[in-house]
Amino acid sequence: PKPVKTIANECGLWEVHGNEHDGFEIHRGARCMPTRFKSLEEAEMALEMFMARCHKDDQSADYVDEA
């Protein structure tokens, strides 16, 4: 099935799959989050919260690897 929404950010490429009847899932590559959301808006909010946490963790690192 094709994603209903794709979101790209510094944490990666995310896809939201599903519909209003069955709920929505968040996928990243071949992996899928175990949580199913009632609406597309709930799935987007969960991603935003995760991205904020991911960004916060990146800024608090004591050591940043230089490429």
Side-chain angles (χ1 to χ4, degrees), residues 9-11 14 28 33 44-61:
N9 59 34
E10 63 273 359
C11 297
W14 307 87
R28 182 175 181 198
M33 289 180 66
E44 290 173 327
M45 187 182 338
L47 262 177
E48 289 173 11
M49 292 170 62
F50 176 79
M51 290 183 284
R53 183 175 175 181
C54 177
H55 186 67
K56 179 182 170 190
D57 290 346
D58 285 348
Q59 288 183 342
S60 66

Side-chain angles (χ1 to χ4, degrees), residues 1-6 14-19 23-25 27 40:
K2 290 187 176 184
V4 293
K5 184 158 191 167
T6 302
W14 307 87
E15 295 179 340
V16 180
H17 294 256
N19 58 53
F24 295 88
E25 305 177 312
H27 294 245
L40 180 59

